[in-house]
Amino acid sequence: MERQLKTIILAAGKGTRFNSRVPKVLHEVCGKPVLDYVIDTAKAAGSLKTYVVVGHEAELVRRAVEGRADIVLQEEQLGTAHAVRCAADEFKAYSGEVLVMCGDTPLLDPVIVRKLVSRHRRSGAVCTFLTAELANPEGYGRILRDESGRVRAIREHKDADTSERAIREINVGVYCFAGKELFGSIADIAINPKKKEFYLTDIIELFLSRGCKVDTLVTDDWTANLGINTRADLALAGSIMRERILKDLMSSGVTVVDPATTYVESDVRIGRDSVIYPCTYIHHGVRVGENCSVGPFARLRPGTVLADRVSVGNFAEISRSRLGADVNMKHFSFLGDADVGSGANIGCGAVTANYDGKNKNKTNIGRGAFIGCDAVLVAPTEVGAGAVVGAGSVVTPGRKVPANRVAVGIPARVIKKVERHE
Ligand code: UD1
Ligand code: CA
């Protein structure tokens, strides 16, 4: 039978060096909060339930993860072992495995975590944890091994002597535990006399002294433990993540003409053979179909969905809108809260006025409609299928241009049927 996996994410620390009123784990990397990446990684590794240990600004974090993770409160931050212990009540009747990770490492690859869990399951260890070789191991816990290469302990930097500090293998801070053994031993960890904290890392020596097996997985991906301690770390993580996202898109068949000036946030999907031109920004969660053309200088904001063969050109901005197949929106336009039927044309400079100062209102544009240059559609409004709105016209709120009619002027009035020359 497949064993169960649950996760504890440690995120109670103050993050002093980040210098923010907002907890650092809620700051965004490529449009998504740092903590969300870690929660997603836990899920991708097969975790059924995730607990986030919070302390500093607990309420803000609780609200941010609502529905995606449970919260455990650590009122006083007495160290990483104490943080895990705070979750003990949630694991009383639990006999599966427990993954423990830090909340501030958004670049940790789910593939590595999956490997860690499966190695743990094969080896029969009570704890399997991730290590990495760093050129500069300063500040991290070092991995002490015996002559035959078996782990003996994790020594924190502060407690390490000169020879131990020369060790370049470090503790990443990702652990897979047998749940029963974890909570059976965690209360026995003694306080660290120097830092006056309970170190989770001390559990390794404790397990070994009790005759339990401990195992490690070494990763060569140095970004796995890139913690967001400062704003500079945040920017660095953003640029690494951006490169990953663009690489993934390109390998899935999307042309990115100039990766250096293209910004695509996380969880964006773009179909095959679409082309993204330079200086384009595509926000979190946007969907773009196949054979689309976006940019140069386009901005697709959250809630935008483009069907296949849509063309969005320079200085176009789209927000919370759906564009059907073959829609053209080539220059200087804005669409917000709009639903655009397939084959419609949004003329140069045409905009939806979707915000009335209080509410965001909807605009519906039917299939094959033609919105003339510089037209303003003041929402809520509707343009029927095949209708034409003349250049410079203003369609006022609550009005509907019927299907296959031409409307012009300010306010726009219907003047005739659409003549088709086919
Ligand atoms: C920890 C490890 C170290 C490892 C490093 C990897 C310990 C004792 N040391 O060191 O071996 O190399 O991570 O990054 O575990 N936290 C709480 N409550 C607390 C204290 C910390 O939730 O009381 C959280 C923090 O918010 C953070 C994580 O635990 O997300 C790690 O804590 P931190 O104090 O940064 O540990 P390090 O000194 O970096
Ligand atoms: Ca840290």
Side-chain angles (χ1 to χ4, degrees):
M1 196 188 95
E2 174 90 338
R3 273 184 288 176
Q4 282 193 52
L5 184 67
K6 293 185 179 181
T7 303
I8 301 173
I9 297 175
L10 309 182
K14 195 146 190 297
T16 313
R17 283 172 292 165
F18 207 81
N19 193 12
S20 173
R21 273 187 233 282
V22 179
K24 66 173 178 176
V25 292
L26 299 188
H27 282 263
E28 292 182 353
V29 165
C30 292
K32 182 157 102 174
V34 166
L35 184 55
D36 282 15
Y37 285 95
V38 185
I39 294 173
D40 288 350
T41 295
K43 275 211 184 103
S47 176
L48 300 171
K49 199 166 175 65
T50 300
Y51 300 91
V52 180
V53 181
V54 298
H56 175 64
E57 292 289 4
E59 195 44 43
L60 280 180
V61 184
R62 182 200 304 276
R63 259 183 273 144
V65 303
E66 194 140 47
R68 296 165 40 71
D70 284 23
I71 292 291
V72 168
L73 189 63
Q74 184 192 24
E75 280 182 48
E76 243 187 309
Q77 281 84 66
L78 301 177
T80 44
H82 178 257
V84 169
R85 231 174 118 181
C86 289
D89 281 354
E90 311 289 340
F91 289 85
K92 269 190 180 140
Y94 180 72
S95 58
E97 278 124 4
V98 183
L99 201 57
V100 176
M101 306 195 277
C102 294
D104 68 346
T105 52
L107 300 177
L108 177 64
D109 186 346
V111 174
I112 296 176
V113 182
R114 266 204 300 271
K115 265 192 203 152
L116 181 77
V117 173
S118 61
R119 184 180 173 104
H120 178 84
R121 285 181 171 158
R122 279 197 315 267
S123 75
V126 294
C127 174
T128 308
F129 66 99
L130 195 62
T131 74
E133 293 260 355
L134 295 190
N136 176 16
E138 179 85 19
Y140 290 101
R142 307 298 208 284
I143 311 304
L144 310 188
R145 294 184 181 271
D146 64 18
E147 313 75 52
S148 52
R150 275 189 299 257
V151 194
R152 278 197 296 119
I154 302 175
R155 180 80 72 243
E156 287 308 299
H157 182 87
K158 279 205 172 81
D159 303 316
D161 61 29
T162 320
S163 68
E164 288 167 342
R165 284 188 182 184
I167 297 170
R168 289 176 36 224
E169 189 188 3
I170 62 104
N171 170 31
V172 171
V174 181
Y175 318 78
C176 185
F177 289 101
K180 281 260 172 287
E181 280 76 3
L182 169 64
F183 290 104
S185 292
I186 197 142
D188 302 336
I189 291 175
I191 197 162
N192 178 283
K194 262 197 198 148
K195 225 184 155 198
K196 304 279 185 283
E197 279 187 7
F198 297 92
Y199 286 174
L200 179 59
T201 44
D202 285 347
I203 205 165
I204 302 303
E205 265 180 294
L206 195 61
F207 279 150
L208 291 169
S209 73
R210 291 176 176 179
C212 300
K213 184 175 171 187
V214 173
D215 197 12
T216 57
L217 178 71
V218 188
T219 173
D220 54 7
D221 177 8
W222 67 271
T223 67
N225 64 325
L226 180 70
I228 306 302
N229 295 314
T230 63
R231 308 262 179 173
D233 293 335
L234 187 73
L236 177 61
S239 68
I240 295 168
M241 185 61 75
R242 179 160 80 96
E243 231 173 80
R244 273 189 202 172
I245 290 169
L246 292 173
K247 262 197 193 139
D248 286 351
L249 285 174
M250 290 187 275
S251 60
S252 71
V254 176
T255 296
V256 178
V257 174
D258 181 22
T261 62
T262 303
Y263 291 76
V264 179
E265 292 187 339
S266 60
D267 303 331
V268 167
R269 274 198 247 139
I270 303 180
R272 205 153 63 140
D273 291 318
S274 284
V275 181
I276 313 299
Y277 289 94
C279 300
T280 290
Y281 202 114
I282 302 180
H283 287 259
H284 181 251
V286 165
R287 302 274 178 268
V288 175
E290 294 189 0
N291 291 294
C292 289
S293 166
V294 181
F297 299 98
R299 181 175 183 209
L300 305 182
R301 290 171 54 196
T304 296
V305 178
L306 308 184
D308 296 340
R309 299 178 305 278
V310 170
S311 176
V312 176
N314 47 285
F315 309 109
E317 176 180 338
I318 305 175
S319 187
R320 291 182 309 275
S321 298
R322 296 178 159 269
L323 276 61
D326 302 294
V327 168
N328 283 325
M329 175 178 174
K330 298 247 184 193
H331 353 250
F332 302 106
S333 290
F334 169 70
L335 289 173
D337 302 290
D339 206 314
V340 183
S342 54
N345 184 80
I346 311 298
C348 176
V351 302
T352 54
N354 61 320
Y355 183 53
D356 60 14
K358 261 197 201 138
N359 299 307
K360 303 276 170 70
N361 301 304
K362 294 259 332 164
T363 298
N364 278 309
I365 298 172
R367 289 165 147 261
F370 186 98
I371 312 299
C373 291
D374 257 336
V376 181
L377 309 178
V378 187
T381 193
E382 196 173 332
V383 176
V388 172
V389 175
S393 303
V394 177
V395 180
T396 44
R399 299 300 292 269
K400 174 177 180 180
V401 178
N404 300 310
R405 294 292 187 280
V406 178
V408 300
I410 303 173
R413 289 196 173 83
V414 174
I415 53 165
K416 59 179 181 180
K417 276 192 175 169
V418 173
E419 292 156 30
R420 304 214 187 269
H421 318 277
E422 266 143 36

